[in-house]
Amino acid sequence: MIIQPVILAGGSGTRLWPLSRDNFPKPFLNIVGSNSLFQETIIRLETLASNHPIVISNQRHKFLIQEQLNSINKSHSSIILEPIQKNTAPALTLAAIHSLSISKDSLLICLPADHLIENTSDFIASLNKGISKAKDGSIVTFGISPTEPKTGYGYIECSNIEADASELIRFIEKPKKKLALNMVNSGNYLWNSGIFMMRAETWISLISQYSPSILENCELAMENSISEEEVISPDKAYMELCPNISIDYAVMEKINSDINMKFNSWVIPINSGWSDVGTWKEIWNHSNHNKDGNHTLGDIYTEDVTNSILISQSNNLAVIGLSDIAIIQTPDVTLVTPFNQDDKLKKLVASLETQNPEIKKDHNTVKRPWGEYTILEEGSGFQVKKLIINAKSSISLQSHNKRSEHWTVVKGNPLITNESSKIILTENESIYIPKNAKHRIENPNEGIVVIIEVQVGDYIEEDDIIRYEDQYNRTSED
């Protein structure tokens, strides 16, 4: 039997906006420690006797995942890129189908990519306990002893909460405050960690019984997928037909309420310093504090401020007379919120989809496979960017129908293609790129290239692009 970790890295982390954005979400942030939560999830599995993990994420995070894996020198079994997010049940189904194509005897360990685990050895010991249960065809989930009646978590009722492995009685998803309080006080419930373990064939059997449309469409999506160097892109048309549903709702709640179903499901407690670090208060709880109880990052100046988290990625930030508050300042957004307003923050971020989708989707600095760009200034008919092109990298050979560009080199010696001509520029040299001209920046050297780009035109959005050649195999739609 092979032990196959499956890392679910598709979460959006809206309650950590504005640091977490659609195109750079919570799993990939360095919010606690020097590595991202995704990287720590990968590193955590080093001592588990298992295959390299299958990573499931969104199509737009392909290069972000590869970059973060490369930076910690870690490998993956495969990366499955969902063309559209459909929650955890379809994601696990894709992983199970792929794992069975590798080995008919595989056991899946399904792990969210955005959790904090303080004691890795205890965590791995809990996983090993689960493996012995899951080998016989059972489903194993992992529970956390609740410290307060949180309504944002699911709960698991256990037959014996003190046992190393307890029979699972039922799931209760995100209860009201009174019910949550009653469950915590009863001592028979654990928080649902979202970590599951089962044989791949067990999951396929259960999803076939309780949500057959997920299995049917995931199988067709994988049959019609595009694969390239262990990166699998399931077919979008079939994935769009999948229900948007979690593992809990699709299967777990049903197997424990189905009187005709005799199925073993177990809960193993995790006592390893777990947190989903899903709110600013949780980030504060797991951060270092100064003498006033504040966690600060950036140029912060305070007077009579206590027990708060204060982050500035751009300007100086001065705060007076506040407590239990999060102030998060990025180059394009400043958030001020009390710690206990997480649901309202989630609603605010959802409203940005219609009010200002750009600040929901991207930071001012946007990662690209070749490096990154930062928007320095923009207005009617123009935009100014700073481009950083990594060593041995290049942008695609491309053109724009509605804008011209002017590039000034401030660092490095890029090779510039402008229609049929090629030229090497040095620092403080410039070049003009007309509308519709095929152009490219290449950095054949070891150091980075930095260019200031001025765009001028009637339309300056990122979708005004035609790609002709691209070393990362992107299309004009990517």
Side-chain angles (χ1 to χ4, degrees):
M1 172 177 286
I2 67 167
I3 308 301
Q4 181 61 69
V6 176
I7 310 298
L8 302 182
S12 58
T14 54
R15 290 176 295 175
L16 294 182
W17 183 85
L19 287 191
S20 180
R21 311 277 179 111
D22 290 350
N23 286 341
F24 205 108
K26 172 191 169 188
F28 306 107
L29 296 175
N30 298 14
I31 47 179
V32 180
S34 58
N35 293 320
S36 72
L37 295 171
F38 168 70
Q39 289 172 319
E40 286 296 329
T41 303
I42 298 292
I43 293 168
R44 197 176 297 132
L45 296 172
E46 285 179 343
T47 58
L48 183 71
S50 65
N51 271 12
H52 294 309
I54 297 171
V55 179
I56 314 278
S57 191
N58 191 277
Q59 183 78 43
R60 62 180 179 263
H61 300 143
K62 172 184 175 181
F63 300 108
L64 187 55
I65 290 168
Q66 291 175 326
E67 178 189 356
Q68 293 212 349
L69 287 171
N70 289 338
S71 70
I72 56 172
N73 297 313
K74 297 299 177 185
S75 301
H76 59 83
S77 171
S78 300
I79 299 174
I80 300 177
L81 298 172
E82 297 174 296
I84 181 170
Q85 288 179 295
K86 287 291 186 174
N87 218 313
T88 55
L92 182 56
T93 305
L94 293 173
I97 292 168
H98 181 58
S99 184
L100 286 170
S101 73
I102 300 169
S103 170
K104 298 299 182 185
D105 191 21
S106 59
L107 187 148
L108 306 179
I109 303 176
C110 181
L111 300 155
D114 58 355
H115 289 179
L116 175 69
I117 303 288
E118 294 181 340
N119 190 320
T120 295
S121 60
D122 283 357
F123 177 71
I124 297 300
S126 296
L127 293 185
N128 283 321
K129 289 177 185 176
I131 290 171
S132 64
K133 292 288 186 184
K135 280 181 177 179
D136 67 5
S138 299
I139 279 190
V140 178
T141 187
F142 296 82
I144 314 298
S145 296
T147 56
E148 57 182 294
K150 290 197 172 187
T151 57
Y153 292 168
Y155 287 72
I156 307 168
E157 185 176 6
C158 310
S159 62
N160 181 2
I161 203 168
E162 301 298 327
D164 284 345
S166 169
E167 289 187 38
L168 191 157
I169 297 174
R170 61 172 175 150
F171 278 83
I172 299 93
E173 186 65 14
K174 297 181 179 178
K176 298 292 186 181
K177 187 75 172 181
K178 183 177 180 181
L179 178 57
L181 181 61
N182 290 339
M183 289 191 292
V184 171
N185 289 338
S186 75
N188 296 323
Y189 294 83
L190 298 172
W191 285 336
N192 177 14
S193 69
I195 301 170
F196 296 93
M197 184 183 294
M198 75 289 289
R199 297 175 71 102
E201 62 184 7
T202 299
W203 177 255
I204 294 296
S205 175
L206 290 170
I207 202 72
S208 174
Q209 179 173 349
Y210 292 115
S211 193
S213 64
I214 289 180
L215 180 60
E216 177 185 358
N217 287 298
C218 284
E219 285 180 332
L220 289 168
M222 291 296 279
E223 286 174 14
N224 293 278
S225 64
I226 298 172
S227 298
E228 183 182 355
E229 296 181 353
E230 298 181 340
V231 177
I232 301 167
S233 298
D235 184 80
K236 184 176 181 180
Y238 290 111
M239 289 306 299
E240 286 178 332
L241 297 175
C242 273
N244 188 331
I245 190 169
S246 69
I247 294 167
D248 298 351
Y249 285 130
V251 170
M252 296 305 296
E253 287 188 351
K254 294 175 181 177
I255 61 175
N256 292 102
S257 61
D258 187 345
I259 60 173
N260 297 313
M261 183 72 168
K262 299 298 182 183
F263 190 84
N264 290 328
S265 47
W266 299 90
V267 187
I268 292 176
I270 295 176
N271 300 304
S272 51
W274 173 93
S275 173
D276 76 338
V277 284
T279 67
W280 289 116
K281 181 60 182 290
E282 283 295 314
I283 299 297
W284 180 85
N285 285 341
H286 293 277
S287 299
N288 295 322
H289 307 136
N290 63 19
K291 62 181 178 61
D292 296 315
N294 299 319
H295 174 67
T296 64
L297 184 64
D299 296 319
I300 311 294
Y301 306 92
T302 63
E303 185 64 39
D304 192 26
V305 177
T306 58
N307 302 329
S308 296
I309 182 166
L310 310 169
I311 296 175
S312 177
Q313 295 182 335
S314 52
N315 299 319
N316 296 322
L317 178 62
V319 187
I320 299 173
L322 297 175
S323 182
D324 299 291
I325 198 164
I327 301 178
I328 313 299
Q329 185 178 69
T330 67
D332 58 337
V333 175
T334 299
L335 170 73
V336 182
T337 177
F339 278 149
N340 61 355
Q341 300 295 316
D342 303 315
D343 290 340
K344 290 181 180 178
L345 175 55
K346 195 169 185 176
K347 289 178 182 177
L348 183 148
V349 175
S351 74
L352 295 175
E353 197 66 61
T354 55
Q355 296 183 60
N356 192 342
E358 285 305 311
I359 63 170
K360 178 178 181 291
K361 184 173 70 172
D362 277 316
H363 289 272
N364 257 29
T365 296
V366 178
K367 296 289 186 180
R368 287 289 186 259
W370 43 261
E372 65 185 38
Y373 69 79
T374 300
I375 299 173
L376 303 178
E377 187 65 60
E378 56 187 331
S380 178
F382 79 94
Q383 185 167 248
V384 182
K385 291 180 175 178
K386 180 176 77 172
L387 312 181
I388 297 178
I389 295 88
N390 292 333
K392 308 296 184 182
S393 301
S394 75
I395 70 170
S396 58
L397 181 65
Q398 59 187 248
S399 66
H400 311 293
N401 292 328
K402 300 179 181 179
R403 71 174 186 257
S404 61
E405 296 176 341
H406 191 113
W407 297 336
T408 300
V409 178
V410 296
K411 185 174 184 178
N413 301 105
L415 172 62
I416 305 298
T417 299
N418 189 5
E419 284 290 357
S420 59
S421 70
K422 288 195 173 188
I423 183 174
I424 294 177
L425 296 183
T426 59
E427 292 179 11
N428 208 30
E429 292 186 332
S430 301
I431 191 168
Y432 172 70
I433 310 294
K435 289 181 184 178
N436 301 310
K438 290 184 180 179
H439 60 275
R440 173 158 51 196
I441 306 169
E442 297 177 74
N443 179 10
N445 305 308
E446 294 297 334
I448 64 170
V449 163
V450 181
I451 289 176
I452 301 300
E453 174 183 85
V454 179
Q455 302 174 350
V456 178
D458 299 328
Y459 184 83
I460 54 173
E461 298 300 326
E462 289 299 310
D463 57 358
D464 175 24
I465 186 170
I466 300 171
R467 287 195 173 98
Y468 304 97
E469 297 174 8
D470 183 66
Q471 71 180 80
Y472 313 104
N473 298 314
R474 294 171 298 165
T475 66
S476 297
E477 286 74 38
D478 293 334

